[in-house]
Amino acid sequence: MNKTTIKTIAAAFALALTSCGNEPPISESKAVELIIKMHEADAIMFVTGYNDANLRGDSASYYNYIFKETGVTKAEFLETIDWYTQHPERYKTLYEKVVKVVNAEAEKQRERDDQNRVKAANDIWNLRSYYNLPADGMTNPIAYEIPTENQGTYTISADFTFYKDDGTTNPHLTIIADYYDGTNESIMTNGFKKDGEKRRFSAMIKTNPNKELKQIRGWVLDHSETTNSKHVDVSDITLLYTKE
């Protein structure tokens, strides 16, 4: 969002009405929201192939949709813009808040993009990433075994939804580092709740640099021997590797 964009919007509407009173008809926060939505709508118009029937057409149609969506009338918006153009200091404050919101959203998107790139680069999980139990096995512990000789830190993670009728006894997530000398190290995570809510759990292990690593293995949903049925959704399984 730049100053030219906001001035363009103001130029389109500001002279339509002459406001009166000490405050504009809509709040500053609502004005910020509307200006940002209009800027986004202008961008959408130029996306080739965009076919939302609610937003298809010229700028006026886009803005009418925004007015309907936000519950603000066109007259209220016109009068508000006119009021701000007659109060330069308040207009400056409004503009600064618009820029702050846009910059904050842009930073969040950059962070999400960076996280996705890191995940793609470090995720060595090469098996199925979604399981529905019991459809994928009444007592399936979701075993995994991934050969790797790279020393470092490995983190197995997944989203779990345990339903109230789940029969898993002592459910836990396990990660094991196997070494060529026949030894191994393991980490277990538990604390699952059977309430139908999705939660993400992880188990992390740091390999021993003094030993030769053979593989990382374990069970995404291990259990005690008394388990005879499960009702769990397991999704977005990842195995992230971080080099020392």
Side-chain angles (χ1 to χ4, degrees):
M1 173 75 71
N2 53 48
K3 198 166 184 178
T4 302
T5 301
I6 298 176
K7 284 186 175 180
T8 300
I9 295 173
F13 298 121
L15 299 180
L17 294 173
T18 301
S19 65
C20 58
N22 295 325
E23 292 294 328
I26 63 176
S27 66
E28 185 179 75
S29 61
K30 181 63 72 172
V32 169
E33 178 187 356
L34 281 163
I35 290 172
I36 292 173
K37 285 182 177 294
M38 288 181 173
H39 172 70
E40 292 171 347
D42 285 337
I44 290 173
M45 282 184 63
F46 294 99
V47 176
T48 302
Y50 189 82
N51 59 1
D52 188 331
N54 292 315
L55 295 180
R56 187 182 299 168
D58 57 18
S59 294
S61 297
Y62 279 63
Y63 297 156
N64 287 336
Y65 176 78
I66 293 170
F67 293 143
K68 181 179 179 181
E69 181 186 38
T70 58
V72 174
T73 67
K74 181 178 180 180
E76 288 173 333
F77 180 73
L78 293 175
E79 187 175 345
T80 297
I81 292 296
D82 187 49
W83 187 93
Y84 275 106
T85 59
Q86 296 179 46
H87 297 79
E89 289 302 315
R90 291 285 297 276
Y91 183 90
K92 179 181 178 182
T93 300
L94 177 71
Y95 166 74
E96 290 173 347
K97 290 188 175 182
V98 169
V99 172
K100 183 178 180 179
V101 171
V102 172
N103 288 343
E105 287 300 318
E107 181 59 29
K108 288 180 181 179
Q109 185 59 52
R110 282 193 292 270
E111 290 176 357
R112 287 192 290 267
D113 291 342
D114 289 342
Q115 290 173 355
N116 289 336
R117 282 192 291 271
V118 170
K119 176 181 176 180
N122 294 354
D123 189 2
I124 64 171
W125 183 261
N126 56 9
L127 305 173
R128 287 179 56 185
S129 61
Y130 174 82
Y131 290 82
N132 173 269
L133 310 176
D136 291 313
M138 289 288 290
T139 59
N140 186 358
I142 313 179
Y144 64 95
E145 185 176 294
I146 299 179
T148 177
E149 297 180 355
N150 296 321
Q151 295 285 355
T153 300
Y154 291 85
T155 305
I156 181 77
S157 304
D159 290 333
F160 296 86
T161 303
F162 281 79
Y163 296 94
K164 294 181 179 180
D165 62 344
D166 173 66
T168 311
T169 303
N170 185 29
H172 49 277
L173 170 63
T174 304
I175 185 169
I176 302 170
D178 285 332
Y179 301 100
Y180 277 103
D181 64 1
T183 62
N184 63 63
E185 298 170 320
S186 65
I187 296 292
M188 181 181 71
T189 296
N190 49 27
F192 298 102
K193 295 182 179 180
K194 301 180 181 183
D195 56 6
E197 297 292 328
K198 180 188 289 187
R199 294 183 176 87
R200 192 161 187 83
F201 285 83
S202 302
M204 180 179 70
I205 194 166
K206 184 177 180 180
T207 62
N208 188 336
N210 298 317
K211 296 186 177 184
E212 188 178 0
L213 182 65
K214 179 180 180 181
Q215 65 182 7
I216 295 295
R217 64 180 176 91
W219 297 272
V220 178
L221 184 51
D222 204 359
H223 55 265
S224 297
E225 292 182 359
T226 54
T227 296
N228 53 31
S229 67
K230 293 184 177 182
H231 188 186
V232 189
D233 286 335
V234 183
S235 59
D236 194 20
I237 304 172
T238 61
L239 180 58
L240 302 186
Y241 164 70
T242 304
K243 185 178 181 181
E244 290 301 307

